[in-house]
């Protein structure tokens, strides 16, 4: 017969509860990204002189918001801004990690003059 | 070792230790209480973690490029022999409008610049020389043409009515008859015993039409292929211009270009017989585009489509193999472009299939196949009457299987089949002005006019041309009031179409309703999904 003391059960519950707090939550990250992008380039048209600043802003803003989440993750954020000129763009990415704890999130944003693609990879520490 | 949050002594001698570092990651270590075996099993933790690693899903981004269709137009400075043609800037053949200032060709005029003050008698040699000089021939030809016209006009009151009925050209004719004979063009010398291979009306001068003829078997020393330009406006019976070339027109795979401005009867340009151009008979020729930016498109029976610039016929601008499904080339017998389109077109083939194709773009080449005919497709015509409703997706085909079929680009089975003929149907052509009217000709000498707003079972007007055996070609005049029909004996018959040809504004909406009825009556849903031509 196996009998658990109440303390054990509390511990086990705590374990499950906390692990939810420390997983990579795609929706949460996606919201952060969208806000960062909107804040940095929303309403602007593509301008070569300002694009560098924009990509930097997006990445910095995203990263700071992500770290404020306080989760035990290493983050990698990439941002691509492409002018809408008729060219095509194809990319692909994959990761070798712990599928249970690690995760990624890609956000595609566009307006009339440009595309913006932001990818975030979160690796559990 | 990280911070130990709590320790619990479980049953069976196992101790569960819970660690909670500030980063709140939990690891569970299990220790065996037997001191001798007291060792952290954490080392295997790493192994277990490594085994937990796996590949994630592949994340892809795909932005489709915008398709830019580009054209290049090259011109090549021609070799010196053609320089004289380049100098004429005025495209209009001013000869037609030249005022006839001479009553008689003045041979003596050429001799005016002789030393004598008054004209003297020419010697035989001088006469011959003048008669054969280029300038004289040009002048003589022009004058002859003008005089002939004048003679023909003046002879009105002595007009010979046999076989010709020219008076009722305007307005209603003979109590509302729909198809009335106008005239026949036939030249005993040139067009006898030749089959009319093609007809076309001049876009610039609506009264001019050109007919091409193939070889005359009875006269092997005559040129193989000729094209004659006939004038509807004047009553003379001889062609305006005659052109000939060595190979039967539309038989060997060459394109030859005659220039109406030059006064030569032989072609001014011809394409070479090379692998880059056509090596098989060219069956279809079409000029597409506007007055300034145009291309000559030709298709031959080996399935090769070439696009030529009229300035440079030494090699095609582009050429393409028309292959269906990457297997066999299409043996093309007819080609048509929808109104206003220079990129997409439809072709009919010897096997009885019809294909849609494009010249440019990512889907250049054969796109879709339309099945329906049981014999070679002889004629194909795209709807080109412009009005309130757009019918440019419609086209009709004629075939050896005794039928004419109506198609829409959007479906790969026919919309309707017209089965009133009892012989090979050789050609079919939409009216340029009336949305529901088309003409067809067959091997029994019958010319039919179908008005789909009136009746789809039988033609609205029909006439069997007496004295004609098989009718090869039918073409509407640009005004839509006359139809030219070519037959296998070298005659071109012009028929006036009466009130039937005049479109009324409600004809377009009526035709749209007719189409809906046709579609509804198609029965056993043969549609295999909407098949659209790339735009």
């Amino acid at each position: 017969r196996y009998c658990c003391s109440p303390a054990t059960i509390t511990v086990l519950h705590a374990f499950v509860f906390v692990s939810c707090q420390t997983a990579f939550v795609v929706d949460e990250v996606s919201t952060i990204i969208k806000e960062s992008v909107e804040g940095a380039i929303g309403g602007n048209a593509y301008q070569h002189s300002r694009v560098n600043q924009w990509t930097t802003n997006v990445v910095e803003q995203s990263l700071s918001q992500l770290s404020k989440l306080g989760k035990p993750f290493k983050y990698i954020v990439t941002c691509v801004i492409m002018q809408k000129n008729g060219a095509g763009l194809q990319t692909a990415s994959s990761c070798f990690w712990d599928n249970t704890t690690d995760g990624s999130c890609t956000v595609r944003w566009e307006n009339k003059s440009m595309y913006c693609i932001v990818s975030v990879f979160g690796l559990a520490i | 070792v990280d911070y130990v949050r709590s320790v619990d002594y479980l049953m069976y001698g196992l101790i569960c230790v819970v660690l909670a570092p500030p980063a709140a990651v939990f690891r569970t270590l299990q220790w065996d209480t037997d001191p001798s075996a007291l060792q952290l099993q954490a080392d295997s933790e790493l192994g277990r973690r490594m085994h937990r690693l796996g590949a994630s899903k592949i994340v892809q981004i795909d932005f489709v490029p915008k398709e830019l269709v580009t054209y290049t137009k090259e011109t090549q400075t021609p070799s010196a022999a053609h320089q004289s043609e380049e100098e004429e800037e005025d495209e209009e053949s001013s000869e037609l409008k030249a005022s006839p200032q001479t009553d008689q060709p003045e041979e003596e005029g050429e001799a005016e610049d002789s030393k004598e003050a008054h004209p003297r008698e020419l010697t035989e040699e001088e006469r011959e020389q003048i008669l054969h000089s280029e300038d004289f021939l040009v002048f003589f030809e022009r004058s002859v043409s003008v005089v002939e016209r004048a003679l023909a006009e003046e002879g009105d009151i002595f007009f010979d009515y046999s076989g010709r009925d020219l008076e009722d050209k305007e307005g209603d004719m003979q109590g509302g008859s729909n198809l009335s004979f106008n005239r026949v063009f036939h030249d005993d010398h040139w067009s006898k015993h030749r089959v009319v291979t093609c007809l076309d009306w001049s876009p610039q001068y609506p009264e001019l039409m050109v007919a091409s003829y193939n070889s005359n078997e009875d006269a092997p020393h005559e040129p193989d292929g000729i094209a004659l330009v006939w004038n509807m406006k004047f009553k003379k019976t001889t062609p305006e211009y005659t052109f000939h070339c060595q190979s039967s027109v539309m038989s060997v795979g060459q394109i030859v270009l005659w220039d109406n401005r030059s006064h030569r009867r032989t072609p001014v340009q011809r394409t070479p017989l090379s692998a880059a151009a056509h090596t098989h008979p060219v069956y279809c020729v079409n000029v597409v585009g506007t007055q300034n930016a145009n291309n000559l498109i030709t298709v031959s029976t080996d399935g090769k489509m070439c696009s030529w610039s009229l300035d440079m016929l030494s090699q095609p601008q582009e050429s393409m193999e028309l292959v269906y499904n990457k297997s066999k080339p299409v043996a093309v017998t007819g080609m048509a472009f929808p109104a206003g389109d220079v990129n997409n077109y439809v072709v009919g083939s010897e096997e009885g299939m019809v294909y849609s194709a494009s010249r440019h773009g990512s889907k250049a080449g054969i796109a879709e196949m339309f099945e329906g005919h049981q014999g070679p497709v002889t004629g194909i015509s795209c709807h080109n009457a412009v009005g309130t409703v757009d019918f440019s997706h419609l086209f009709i085909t004629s075939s050896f299987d005794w039928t004419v079929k109506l198609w829409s680009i959007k479906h790969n089975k026919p919309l309707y089949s017209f089965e009133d003929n009892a012989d090979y149907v050789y050609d079919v052509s939409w009216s340029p002005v009336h949305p529901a009217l088309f003409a067809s000709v067959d091997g029994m000498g019958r010319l039919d006019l179908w008005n789909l707003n009136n009746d789809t079972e039988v033609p609205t007007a029909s006439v069997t041309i007496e004295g004609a055996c098989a009718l090869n070609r039918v073409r509407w005049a640009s005004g839509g009031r006359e139809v030219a029909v070519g037959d296998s004996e070298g005659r071109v018959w012009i028929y006036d179409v009466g009130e039937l040809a005049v479109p009324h504004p409600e004809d377009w909406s009526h035709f749209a309703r007719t189409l809906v009825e046709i579609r509804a009556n198609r029965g056993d849903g043969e549609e295999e999904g909407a098949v659209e031509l790339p735009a």
Side-chain angles (χ1 to χ4, degrees):
Chain A
R1 257 182 30 200
Y2 180 66
C3 175
C4 257
S5 70
T8 316
I9 294 175
T10 316
V11 161
L12 289 171
H13 281 163
F15 180 83
V16 168
F17 171 68
V18 174
S19 71
C20 283
Q21 295 285 309
T22 59
F24 187 84
V25 182
V26 177
D27 294 326
E28 191 178 39
V29 172
S30 172
T31 313
I32 290 174
I33 304 295
K34 282 178 187 151
E35 279 167 11
S36 314
V37 170
E38 203 52 55
I41 61 176
N44 290 330
Y46 181 88
Q47 282 166 273
H48 178 64
S49 54
R50 297 182 63 192
V51 172
N52 264 333
Q53 190 58 43
W54 290 339
T55 50
T56 317
N57 286 351
V58 168
V59 167
E60 274 176 0
Q61 183 70 3
S62 307
L63 217 40
S64 73
Q65 293 296 325
L66 284 168
S67 58
K68 279 190 195 148
L69 286 179
K71 294 193 174 180
F73 274 87
K74 295 177 179 171
Y75 293 107
I76 298 156
V77 179
T78 64
C79 172
V80 175
I81 292 184
M82 184 172 98
Q83 183 185 18
K84 274 191 179 175
N85 236 352
L89 175 71
Q90 281 76 30
T91 69
S93 71
S94 181
C95 309
F96 185 73
W97 57 20
D98 185 341
N99 277 313
T100 55
T101 56
D102 306 328
S104 72
C105 170
T106 305
V107 170
R108 292 174 200 82
W109 182 97
E110 66 180 284
N111 66 6
K112 274 174 88 171
S113 60
M114 56 188 169
Y115 296 108
C116 179
I117 308 148
V118 181
S119 299
V120 173
F121 301 89
L123 300 140
I125 296 172
Chain B
V1 176
D2 291 321
Y3 305 99
V4 177
R5 186 65 74 77
S6 77
V7 173
D8 196 3
Y9 196 92
L10 300 174
M11 299 280 286
Y12 306 108
L14 287 177
I15 298 175
C16 173
V17 178
V18 176
L19 305 167
V25 168
F26 288 88
R27 276 189 300 206
T28 313
L29 305 180
Q30 286 170 323
W31 293 356
D32 199 356
T33 45
D34 182 15
S36 62
L38 199 74
Q39 57 174 338
L40 259 175
Q41 293 182 23
D43 293 336
S44 61
E45 200 51 45
L46 188 63
R48 261 203 300 278
R49 274 219 307 276
M50 285 296 289
H51 290 151
R52 282 206 303 270
L53 293 186
S56 73
K57 272 197 333 243
I58 297 181
V59 174
Q60 280 193 310
I61 308 251
D62 185 5
F63 292 131
V64 179
K66 190 172 68 178
E67 176 141 35
L68 271 178
V69 179
T70 56
Y71 302 82
T72 58
K73 184 175 163 65
E74 301 167 15
T75 47
Q76 167 73 43
T77 312
S79 56
H82 296 148
Q83 283 297 353
S84 53
E85 270 80 50
E86 302 287 313
E87 282 154 22
E88 299 193 36
E89 323 174 275
D90 195 8
E91 219 182 36
E92 301 190 357
S93 33
S94 48
E95 301 90 307
L96 282 179
K97 309 288 185 230
S99 56
Q101 74 275 33
T102 54
D103 295 320
Q104 294 294 329
E106 290 179 312
E107 291 145 282
E108 294 81 18
E110 297 290 322
E112 290 281 307
D113 48 0
S114 65
K115 288 127 199 144
E116 311 283 321
H118 52 272
R120 61 170 174 80
E121 202 61 28
L122 292 170
T123 65
E124 200 55 42
E125 209 181 276
E126 276 175 330
R127 197 188 295 251
E128 285 301 309
Q129 194 185 358
I130 289 169
L131 280 175
H132 287 99
S133 74
E134 170 107 24
D135 285 340
F136 177 77
L137 283 173
V138 163
F139 168 78
F140 189 65
E141 244 179 73
R142 192 190 309 179
S143 317
V144 160
S145 161
V146 170
V147 168
E148 254 186 319
R149 260 185 245 148
L151 284 175
E153 293 293 327
E154 279 159 21
D156 225 28
I157 46 172
F158 307 111
F159 204 77
D160 180 4
Y161 274 90
S162 63
R164 262 188 262 164
D165 193 6
L166 290 155
E167 295 309 316
D168 321 20
K169 255 197 179 174
E170 4 12 59
D172 344 278
M173 17 207 116
Q174 299 136 351
S177 80
N178 285 321
L179 260 187
S180 65
F181 175 61
N182 186 328
R183 61 190 300 180
V184 59
F185 287 119
H186 180 71
D187 185 283
D188 276 332
H189 181 210
W190 288 118
S191 66
K192 203 167 194 174
H193 298 310
R194 292 178 190 257
V195 180
V196 176
T197 48
C198 201
L199 294 173
D200 202 8
W201 293 84
S202 161
Q204 256 180 324
Y205 298 107
E207 68 269 15
L208 282 188
M209 60 159 282
V210 64
S212 67
Y213 303 81
N214 72 354
S215 56
N216 183 349
E217 278 132 17
D218 291 342
H221 53 276
E222 296 272 327
D224 278 345
I226 57 162
L228 302 178
V229 177
W230 300 94
N231 193 335
M232 277 272 299
K233 193 153 83 173
F234 301 112
K235 298 187 176 85
K236 67 174 185 146
T237 56
T238 53
E240 279 290 328
Y241 298 100
T242 311
F243 302 103
H244 40 83
C245 79
Q246 274 322 106
S247 49
S248 196
V249 181
M250 306 266 193
S251 176
V252 183
Q254 264 181 322
I255 324 288
V256 292
L257 185 70
W258 288 279
D259 193 340
N260 222 3
R261 297 168 292 176
S262 87
H263 305 290
R264 296 156 51 172
R265 288 189 170 180
T266 48
V268 295
Q269 284 196 61
R270 68 163 70 216
T271 63
L273 266 171
S274 76
H278 291 292
T279 49
H280 274 71
V282 176
Y283 260 71
C284 333
V285 175
N286 245 321
V287 177
V288 294
T290 61
Q291 180 123 359
N292 296 319
N294 49 30
N295 275 32
L296 182 71
I297 315 290
T298 56
V299 188
S300 57
T301 54
D302 60 351
K304 193 148 183 200
M305 184 207 87
C306 289
S307 156
W308 309 81
S309 161
L310 289 173
D311 306 321
M312 184 168 86
L313 281 187
S314 56
Q315 64 171 42
Q317 272 198 308
E318 60 178 7
S319 74
M320 192 194 305
E321 288 280 336
L322 292 176
V323 178
Y324 180 66
N325 251 352
K326 299 184 182 50
S327 56
K328 53 180 175 52
V330 173
V332 176
T333 54
M335 163 177 77
F337 280 78
D341 202 329
V342 298
N343 193 21
N344 306 305
Y345 57 97
V346 283
V347 290
S349 72
E350 267 173 17
E351 299 102 24
M353 311 292 189
V354 180
Y355 300 92
S356 68
S358 322
R359 285 174 58 208
H360 307 280
S362 58
K363 304 206 185 100
I366 299 275
E368 298 301 334
M369 175 172 85
F370 300 83
E371 265 187 283
H373 276 297
Q374 265 108 38
V377 175
T378 49
I380 184 168
S381 174
C382 285
H383 195 278
N384 49 22
V386 176
T388 49
V389 186
D390 179 31
F391 295 115
S392 57
H393 57 99
L394 294 178
F395 63 96
I396 38 176
T397 53
S398 61
S399 157
F400 272 14
D401 66 357
W402 298 11
T403 67
V404 172
K405 293 200 197 299
L406 171 71
W407 310 75
S408 164
I409 290 267
K410 299 177 191 153
H411 302 109
N412 52 6
K413 295 279 183 212
L415 287 180
Y416 197 82
S417 181
F418 302 95
E419 305 198 354
D420 194 58
N421 292 84
D423 199 344
Y424 299 158
V425 187
Y426 277 104
D427 199 9
V428 71
S429 181
W430 281 107
S431 160
V433 295
H434 194 297
L437 187 63
F438 68 88
S440 69
V441 290
D442 72 359
M444 291 199 322
R446 223 173 85 176
L447 164 65
D448 294 324
L449 285 190
W450 298 78
N451 182 344
L452 298 178
N453 280 347
N454 196 2
D455 195 343
T456 56
E457 297 280 317
V458 289
T460 303
S462 177
V463 68
T464 303
I465 299 184
E466 272 128 52
C469 22
L471 300 179
N472 239 11
R473 279 273 173 219
V474 64
R475 280 288 175 269
W476 290 85
S478 51
R481 297 304 296 267
E482 288 112 4
V483 181
V485 181
D487 73 4
S488 54
E489 288 288 307
R491 275 186 287 266
V492 178
W493 307 80
I494 310 287
Y495 273 79
D496 289 319
V497 188
E499 277 310 305
L500 176 61
V502 177
H504 301 108
E506 60 268 15
D507 274 325
W508 271 265
S509 43
H510 189 180
F511 189 46
R513 285 198 301 278
T514 312
L515 274 182
V516 168
E517 276 168 36
I518 289 176
R519 281 208 186 99
N521 296 343
R522 238 155 48 115
D524 53 303
E526 290 183 31
E527 299 187 22
E528 271 158 33
V531 177
E532 306 238 344
L533 267 185

